Amino acid sequence: MDYYAGVDLGATNVRAVVAEDDGTTIGLRRRSTPRGPTGIDVTEGVLRTLREACGDAGIVPEDIVAAGIGSIGPFDLAEGAVIDPANLPDSIDRIPLTGPIEKLIDSDDVYLHNDTTAGVIGERFHADRNPDDMVYITISSGIGAGVCCDGEIVSGWDGNAGEVGHYVVDPTGRLTCGCGRDGHWEAYCSGNGIPDYARLLAEDDPTISTDLPLEGPDFTAKDVFDLAGEDELADYVIEQLAHWNAIGVTNVIHAFAPIVVSFGGAVSLHNEELVVDPIRERVAEMVMTNVPEIRVTDLGDDVVLEGALASALTEGTGDRQRFLE
């Protein structure tokens, strides 16, 4: 029996899965993503999670034939590392991944993908039909896209294709993104960006009434969505988010001409009626090409992890037809 692993490294959680060669899960673990102080601490957290998933499966890491990784970026793909991640503390400048996991499982078959690229792999692998042109968009702590064009996954020479959250949607640049640049889609509409955007809109018009804890240390995007329909500022923020999201998605559609756009990430998954439905309504009026099917992933929070595992199963076995057809 051969065993395969998938790893999902996000800004909030790191998860690992171990499966048999038919894809049956036999081990699964989740931990909070270490906040540093260095990237090596994050690496050690990833390795610890994978070891524990192997323990749950009743195997040792060396039994793993191949592993796939879906991770936050950006990447130094030649070194198999994350560099200067926007949604982790500034002290974390490099997170080695490929090399340490290769050493742990004693195999060179380790495949590193941007988390959204892993997402589109997961969507295609588990789909009833596999459209050759589709995009997976995550709206979570950040925003990004996994892209499949003409049946091929678009990852770029450095692994950083699909960073659509860094599209400039506001040329006035009123908000600064976690990457340090101004006016990016992610700065306004990501889980990390929404609280800052709510504060900005409140400053723009102090007459808007609100019960949002704007200055509270624990103010989050969830507070905005929880007060939808009950709070004037929350409703205004959600309306403006729909505007920026529609611009971002329209740009994605014009760039890649997908047949399907699938959404994931906590902001989308937990607030479909307030986030995804308005995108459907607005994009139909903004796109000058074919309007794709816009849906929410059926894989929920597991889409990146499933994509990482699918990468290991298809690339590690050499059976890419399991994925491409």
Side-chain angles (χ1 to χ4, degrees):
M1 175 70 70
D2 289 331
Y3 302 98
Y4 297 83
V7 173
D8 172 10
L9 172 59
T12 305
N13 294 300
V14 55
R15 297 196 300 162
V17 62
V18 174
E20 297 175 343
D21 53 14
D22 63 356
T24 301
T25 296
I26 56 174
L28 180 66
R29 278 298 178 107
R30 175 199 296 250
R31 280 181 170 268
S32 296
T33 301
R35 308 298 293 178
T38 70
I40 296 299
D41 296 285
V42 181
T43 302
E44 290 176 348
V46 170
L47 296 176
R48 185 181 308 115
T49 308
L50 182 52
R51 286 192 196 97
E52 291 172 349
C54 289
D56 289 346
I59 66 171
V60 296
E62 291 82 0
D63 291 331
I64 299 294
V65 172
I69 311 165
S71 174
I72 54 175
F75 294 142
D76 179 339
L77 203 58
E79 296 294 327
V82 178
I83 53 171
D84 297 323
N87 295 313
L88 288 176
D90 291 341
S91 63
I92 299 175
D93 59 357
R94 179 174 289 266
I95 306 170
L97 289 175
T98 303
I101 291 178
E102 287 176 347
K103 185 175 180 180
L104 176 67
I105 69 174
D106 193 25
S107 170
D108 294 334
D109 292 325
V110 176
Y111 307 97
L112 176 61
H113 305 281
N114 185 285
D115 53 1
T116 53
T117 299
V120 79
I121 292 172
E123 283 288 89
R124 294 199 78 217
F125 188 83
H126 290 281
D128 292 333
R129 58 184 180 86
N130 293 328
D132 284 343
D133 298 277
M134 69 175 300
V135 174
Y136 167 77
I137 297 176
T138 182
I139 305 181
S140 188
S141 54
I143 296 175
V147 178
C148 182
C149 280
D150 296 332
E152 295 292 333
I153 299 300
V154 178
S155 58
W157 68 271
D158 60 355
N160 293 313
E163 291 285 358
V164 302
H166 302 284
Y167 280 166
V168 174
V169 295
D170 179 11
T172 66
R174 299 191 66 201
L175 285 178
T176 300
C177 184
C179 73
R181 275 71 171 183
D182 297 332
H184 290 185
W185 182 11
E186 185 170 301
Y188 296 77
C189 300
S190 69
N192 286 349
I194 289 171
D196 289 336
Y197 189 37
R199 294 185 189 101
L200 178 66
L201 294 177
E203 292 172 4
D204 284 347
D205 188 352
T207 66
I208 299 177
S209 63
T210 186
D211 289 324
L212 289 171
L214 296 175
E215 305 307 321
D218 298 322
F219 176 45
T220 68
K222 183 176 184 298
D223 296 318
V224 174
F225 292 110
D226 284 348
L227 287 181
E230 303 174 8
D231 184 274
E232 185 179 4
L233 179 61
D235 287 343
Y236 183 50
V237 172
I238 291 168
E239 178 71 13
Q240 294 306 301
L241 293 177
H243 169 72
W244 300 120
N245 280 331
I247 291 175
V249 174
T250 297
N251 288 340
V252 170
I253 294 168
H254 286 155
F256 302 110
I259 296 171
V260 174
V261 175
S262 179
F263 279 89
V267 173
S268 299
L269 293 174
H270 298 155
N271 306 284
E272 181 177 355
E273 292 184 0
L274 298 173
V275 175
V276 181
D277 285 353
I279 292 173
R280 291 189 184 102
E281 295 166 2
R282 292 170 182 248
V283 162
E285 300 176 355
M286 298 171 68
V287 170
M288 52 77 66
T289 54
N290 291 326
V291 179
E293 175 189 353
I294 295 176
R295 68 189 188 199
V296 173
T297 176
D298 292 331
L299 296 174
D301 292 332
D302 294 331
V303 62
V304 172
L305 191 64
E306 290 287 350
L309 177 60
S311 172
L313 287 164
T314 56
E315 300 289 351
T317 62
D319 186 11
R320 298 190 77 236
Q321 294 306 110
R322 296 173 66 180
F323 162 58
L324 292 175
E325 292 185 352

